Amino acid sequence: MKIPEHVHTCRIILVLPSLLLTVLQTATAQKNGIDIYSLTVDSRVSSRFAHTVVTSRVVNKADAVQEATFQMELPRKAFITNFSMVIDGVTYPGTVKEKATAQEQYSAAVSRGESAGLIKTTGRKMEEFQVSVSVAPATKVTFELVYEELLRRHLGVYELLLKVRPQQLVKHLQMDIHIFEPQGISFLETESTFITNELADALTTSKNTTKAHICFKPTLSQQQKAPDQQDTILDGNFIVRYDVNRTHSGNSIQIENGYFVHYFAPEGLPTMPKNVVFVIDKSGSMNGRKIQQTREALIKILSDLNPKDQFNLIVFSGEATQWEPSLVPASEENVNKARSYAASIQARGGTNINDAMLGAVQLLESSNRAELLSAGSVSLIILLTDGDPTVGETSPTQIQKNVQEAIASQYSLFCLGFGFDVSYAFLEKLALDNGGLARRIYEDSDSALQLQDFYQEVANPLLTEVAFEYPSNSVEEVTQNNFQLFFRGSEMVVAGKLRDQSPDVLLGKVRGQTHMENITFQAESSTAEQEGLFQSPKYIFHNFMERLWAYLTIQQLLEKTVSASDDESKALKTRALNLSLSYNFVTPLTSMVVTKPEGQEQSQVANKPVEEDKRRENIHYSGGASNFPTSFGAGALGASERYGQPGHPDVSYRPRPSHFFPHQNLERLTDMSHLMPTSRPLVFLDSNQGVLDRLKIKTKETTTSAPSPAAVQAPAIILPLPGSSVDRICVDIRPSQDSVDLLSDPGQGLEVTGKYKRQKGGFFWVKVTYKNPQVQVGVSPEHVVVTRDQRSSAYKWKETLFSVLPGLKMTMDKTGLLLLSGPDKVTIGLSSQNDPGKGLLLLLRDTDRFSSQVSGTLGQFYQDVLWEPPAAADDSRRMLRVQGKDYSATRELKLDYHEGTEISCWSVEL
């Protein structure tokens, strides 16, 4: 469709990646006369099931007809349930139909010369949906999108992510998130990459035992970058994370309107020993960055093995090579040998998946026959490959058959597909046939961390052969209730219908095996009591548990079709289709037909793509695709953000928290220049130039431009003197091969360690550990990694960060200054220097909050400190005695990179 010259274009973009993500965006809307006067998101999370309504109201303020394009991306596992447009009081709804029926309507539109847009896969876990409509002058249009998704527990947390990018000031912009969890909310935290201190009071959070409400409602002035500018400051992520209270058994049965859901995540179980065989592709296509990142990830993963685990490595190209003849214990000696072997892996040759996989199974079989597998242990095979088989057996179907026959339900297989040259459908079936799952690893700067993240998910098996049981006279149409493995940090979910004459109390049992014994957990739930819990309309949407059951049933039916025979697959799809139509879900079996005003040129049909479609663009346009580009130009999503290429701004990784910065691995982990976006030039500056460039130096008398680095230097460490609000110590540390214990304060629940490199002009890495809340912040010149419990998130320097946890606030601004603070905590500041080749700078504030127990290289300055009188001839030099040791101190002019001012401080070398 050719857009007339007098029709301007406005795009309203909503993106929902990861667990739950919404992006609101318009491209140069005000310039084209389309004004968004209201933009709201209302998310209601009831017992993990999220129902989100996004409403955008626009008006055409121009004198000519304009075109508004509503575009959004949503999580692959979310189901759209409704989309509508209201134009001049008339509602134009989207209708969910069987895909074949919708395709007929689509074909008819094409035959009339009209274009039709489909949902397509974008990014890592996103799908893109768009619809356009012509808007007459002074006409108002309301777009409303509704979607639903079950939030799955991942590494101990549920996450709701909203990304805000309106690109214009919006008179009424509001996000409301209501959470209701009958088990009780154990913790709640928020994080933003665009909220500044000026926007902090636009965010309100309220919470009681079972309910939480988070509201973000900025005024027009708060949205402005500057008082005299019309540009908006709102551009980034808003995240809510939470978990629920659990009994020791981890059982919770909830009932609403004739349906039940059973959540199971037991606490306190010991980790089962693992027998792990890593099968690593080293074919020629892995050469370069892929094999480098694979080596890096494998070295880290090997370090995370439990001493009770056994393991081995098989690397393959045209042939498969086994590292050791049999499984070996994960002793320190064996792990170090394996790390050295992994570091030497080179990529060359073809891809013989069949022989490598059969070799892995044979290795476990021979170890089992030799009685090397400990009783109650779990055996896992983890395959990583980046391409289809090219050597030996190359038929995917035959390889799947060979592997399934060899494994014979004895072991679990997990398949990782690196990039898009491998068939994901092949790997998914290979994994699902053998009790595992498949995952795509995206070629990006964080590929190594994606691999580590996956391993962390399966690193701690707690139960095997898990079965849920209910009285046959109580329930029917129950979802999957048998599971092969349960891992720490996850959650099993079973849902079903209550029979008409079911008892007043629903009883449930969960049976499983630990590595020591068979175990049974019991739970019961009163129908009358449960029904009373779900009565608040503010938090609950109608029949949510029935829709949760339908959602979960459809997801599981579609997954079963992967491993089913043709006849079984047909029956499964028929049932999934009927449920999709009954509950108005857009699934891979249905499509949404979007109706539009009569006379409009474009009719659209939305299909839900499947993972394999990522190998090829699953989007089709008729009559000139150039009128609807896949890259949306200025103000829209860039290619790197939509397709996961280097430079993706919203990276969240989760390596194992307790060992993310072990001292022996820090130098390797922090030397990650390859993680820098390749699409952006690197500018190397003098060690302090980056700090100076982003500041104007203020003195008491005047404000001047920053002088050259020779005139004033930023010290690596700035310490306020005890009892003084003005005087400071600027510290330099002598070079050391070891890490330095900088601060330890049991009273604060704080430990700070780091490694200082003088030639880098600062710290090579710093690790800050808090006991309450239990948070670890690992900082390198490349990035900041925040770890809480089992989850870690990485941030690039100069990304705005505003994270509020109970008792701790973390902020980072565009200048690259990270501040860790709290109501009763010492403030710790860390700053990058605009150059990953240079070190980190550290400062302290609020040091009067240190307890009397503080110690460490820097902590000693807050114990007994004595100053010798200055020499009569030179009062700029003094001796400083700290805990019986003398230091020479010299008065010098330095740069305070926190305040942006020149300061006079006492320079001390430790």
Side-chain angles (χ1 to χ4, degrees), residues 194-399:
F194 61 85
I195 292 181
T196 61
N197 288 326
E198 291 74 22
L199 271 170
D201 62 355
L203 174 65
T204 58
T205 300
S206 59
K207 171 183 172 295
N208 60 24
T209 305
T210 59
K211 297 177 181 178
H213 176 214
I214 300 97
C215 177
F216 179 67
K217 188 178 180 181
T219 63
L220 276 172
S221 60
Q222 286 177 314
Q223 297 174 44
Q224 289 177 281
K225 281 188 176 180
D228 57 344
Q229 294 184 14
Q230 294 301 304
D231 295 330
T232 179
I233 197 173
L234 304 184
D235 184 358
N237 298 336
F238 183 80
I239 305 166
V240 177
R241 298 187 184 97
Y242 76 96
D243 199 11
V244 302
N245 295 319
R246 290 180 175 82
T247 61
H248 181 73
S249 70
N251 268 309
S252 177
I253 298 177
Q254 300 170 23
I255 299 170
E256 190 255 350
N257 202 26
Y259 287 80
F260 79 93
V261 61
H262 188 168
Y263 294 108
F264 179 67
E267 304 282 340
L269 295 177
T271 298
M272 304 178 73
K274 302 189 299 296
N275 312 299
V276 190
V277 181
F278 299 97
V279 184
I280 308 299
D281 185 348
K282 64 163 189 173
S283 61
S285 58
M286 288 282 291
N287 193 35
R289 198 181 195 194
K290 286 183 184 177
I291 201 66
Q292 177 186 355
Q293 293 176 317
T294 299
R295 288 193 299 257
E296 180 183 328
L298 191 54
I299 288 169
K300 176 64 176 60
I301 288 168
L302 289 168
S303 300
D304 288 345
L305 287 169
N306 190 297
K308 294 182 179 180
D309 294 339
Q310 298 185 96
F311 73 103
N312 206 335
L313 304 171
I314 293 178
V315 295
F316 70 94
S317 51
E319 296 180 350
T321 303
Q322 196 167 294
W323 171 55
E324 290 287 337
S326 63
L327 292 176
V328 298
S331 65
E332 183 178 355
E333 180 183 359
N334 287 334
V335 167
N336 286 335
K337 288 180 180 178
R339 283 159 50 92
S340 297
Y341 178 78
S344 68
I345 297 174
Q346 300 296 322
R348 62 176 67 88
T351 308
N352 192 336
I353 295 175
N354 188 73
D355 286 1
M357 287 304 305
L358 296 183
V361 178
Q362 191 174 37
L363 173 61
L364 289 172
E365 286 290 310
S366 61
S367 297
N368 192 24
R369 288 193 298 269
E371 299 183 349
L372 296 177
L373 306 185
S374 62
S377 62
V378 173
S379 296
L380 310 176
I381 300 173
I382 299 177
L383 166 67
L384 171 68
T385 182
D386 78 328
D388 294 334
T390 61
V391 177
E393 179 58 68
T394 58
S395 167
T397 302
Q398 188 60 46
I399 294 173

Side-chain angles (χ1 to χ4, degrees), residues 694-705:
R694 61 178 182 256
L695 299 171
K696 285 192 175 180
I697 307 307
K698 302 174 185 176
T699 65
K700 293 181 180 178
E701 294 81 16
T702 61
T703 298
T704 63
S705 298

Side-chain angles (χ1 to χ4, degrees), residues 538-780:
K538 182 184 290 186
Y539 289 83
I540 308 303
F541 51 95
H542 183 60
N543 288 345
F544 86 92
M545 201 165 287
E546 179 179 355
R547 297 189 66 81
L548 184 159
W549 165 81
Y551 172 94
L552 189 59
T553 301
I554 293 168
Q555 291 278 23
Q556 293 177 352
L557 289 171
L558 293 174
E559 185 176 281
K560 288 179 181 178
T561 62
V562 175
S563 299
S565 65
D566 290 344
D567 289 341
E568 292 172 337
S569 179
K570 185 177 180 180
L572 292 168
K573 287 181 179 179
T574 297
R575 188 180 173 209
L577 171 62
N578 291 336
L579 283 172
S580 300
L581 294 173
S582 296
Y583 291 92
N584 215 54
F585 284 140
V586 178
T587 72
L589 304 174
T590 57
S591 300
M592 176 173 283
V593 179
V594 179
T595 58
K596 304 176 74 173
E598 185 177 354
Q600 297 262 345
E601 295 181 82
Q602 182 184 1
S603 70
Q604 294 182 308
V605 179
N607 291 332
K608 188 175 185 66
V610 295
E611 174 67 29
E612 183 63 11
D613 291 332
K614 291 187 178 184
R615 280 188 120 183
R616 56 194 181 278
E617 287 280 311
N618 184 37
I619 186 163
H620 309 282
Y621 294 110
S622 171
S626 60
N627 292 324
F628 292 89
T630 58
S631 180
F632 296 99
L637 288 177
S640 67
E641 293 177 85
R642 293 185 293 110
Y643 297 104
Q645 294 172 358
H648 195 287
D650 305 315
V651 180
S652 180
Y653 341 110
R654 294 179 174 86
R656 183 173 179 176
S658 58
H659 298 294
F660 185 74
F661 280 106
H663 293 166
Q664 68 271 23
N665 294 330
L666 274 165
E667 192 156 331
R668 175 182 56 78
L669 284 171
T670 53
D671 184 18
M672 300 174 80
S673 57
H674 60 281
L675 293 183
M676 296 301 293
T678 56
S679 58
R680 302 174 186 172
L682 293 177
V683 180
F684 293 93
L685 306 173
D686 181 84
S687 64
N688 292 304
Q689 187 63 54
V691 177
L692 294 169
D693 282 348
R694 61 178 182 256
L695 299 171
K696 285 192 175 180
I697 307 307
K698 302 174 185 176
T699 65
K700 293 181 180 178
E701 294 81 16
T702 61
T703 298
T704 63
S705 298
S708 67
V712 61
Q713 297 285 322
I717 304 168
I718 301 177
L719 304 179
L721 278 173
S724 172
S725 60
V726 178
D727 232 347
R728 298 174 177 88
I729 299 176
C730 296
V731 180
D732 192 14
I733 298 178
R734 292 187 180 93
S736 172
Q737 296 299 317
D738 301 320
S739 62
V740 179
D741 294 327
L742 300 171
L743 288 170
S744 178
D745 189 348
Q748 282 270 309
L750 170 69
E751 290 185 0
V752 182
T753 56
K755 188 169 184 178
Y756 183 81
K757 287 199 172 183
R758 182 174 292 178
Q759 65 270 31
K760 286 182 173 286
F763 287 93
F764 190 45
W765 58 264
V766 174
K767 181 173 69 175
V768 183
T769 304
Y770 292 95
K771 289 187 177 180
N772 186 26
Q774 292 186 354
V775 175
Q776 185 181 101
V777 183
V779 184
S780 73

Side-chain angles (χ1 to χ4, degrees), residues 54-124:
V54 182
T55 307
S56 177
R57 293 180 171 88
V58 306
V59 60
N60 182 3
K61 291 187 174 182
D63 296 330
V65 173
Q66 296 189 32
E67 184 173 84
T69 299
F70 180 89
Q71 176 190 318
M72 71 96 183
E73 299 182 22
L74 69 160
R76 189 174 69 249
K77 291 188 178 296
F79 290 158
I80 294 174
T81 66
N82 186 51
F83 174 77
S84 64
M85 297 180 292
V86 180
I87 306 173
D88 276 343
V90 180
T91 300
Y92 299 88
T95 306
V96 177
K97 298 184 178 182
E98 182 180 0
K99 183 171 285 188
T101 303
Q103 193 65 26
E104 291 178 5
Q105 189 164 343
Y106 163 74
S107 300
V110 172
S111 67
R112 294 193 299 269
E114 301 170 0
S115 63
L118 306 178
I119 297 176
K120 67 173 181 178
T121 298
T122 61
R124 295 185 178 182

